Amino acid sequence: IEKANKRIFEAIEKGELIVVYGDYDVDGICASAILYKGLTSIGAKVLPYIPHREKEGYGLSEQGLQFAKDQGAPLVITVDNGIVAVNQAKFAKSLGLDLIITDHHTPGENTPDAYAIVHSTKMCGAAVAWCLIRSLIKKELVEELLQFVAIATICDLLPLAGLGRALVFEGLKILNKTTNLGLLALINESGIRLGSISSFEIGYMLGPRLNAMGRVEHAIDSLRLLCTKDPV
């Protein structure tokens, strides 16, 4: 985390663009929202990238890395993917990109040759992203972002015991009094009452709606929903 954070600060100081490379499921979308909101709050220039389910498939792709290069971003941070992207890490290096991998999936035999790796199998991808950013941002935002960790933990079917339970317990408190415009619209559309949201409402009503965008069209729309400041 320390090495990754040092590189993030360097990017902010130099005014470099950072591409946050997510995934099209709820965990990947929530993890992307956490890093987007967290990084922009400390002055970073951030461009989120979510691969297209049909055209690119899961995980870090050469197409996505080429996109980052074309946009002039020297730093790519993955969320909820990348721990098995050995060849893609080599490709990133060949393009001159610094790659920070944050993931929670089971690693393969070989570890990708990345600038830094933040990894744990004890939590969801959004929680790993939250751990990366939490020491850099204001305490109020650290707490606010826990609602996304809770949604991701439940939707990624992590056991609600130990760490997972603690994160969901705290995240539900925030979610039940949320001021996030996108979540409020989604909660309203789902016919849910704020203050009564539990793991059931997340797992069967909110989560599937966020997940559906990646199947119907493009998951970037779910990310836009979570990050928008525009009520319309």
Side-chain angles (χ1 to χ4, degrees), residues 130 134 136-146:
W130 181 79
R134 59 184 291 204
L136 304 181
I137 60 178
K138 286 183 177 167
K139 187 172 178 283
E140 301 80 50
L141 185 56
V142 173
E143 289 181 4
E144 186 194 316
L145 295 176
L146 273 172

Side-chain angles (χ1 to χ4, degrees), residues 108-125:
E109 280 181 28
N110 299 317
T111 308
D113 181 15
Y115 183 87
I117 295 176
V118 182
H119 177 264
S120 170
T121 53
K122 293 186 173 72
M123 56 184 98
C124 67

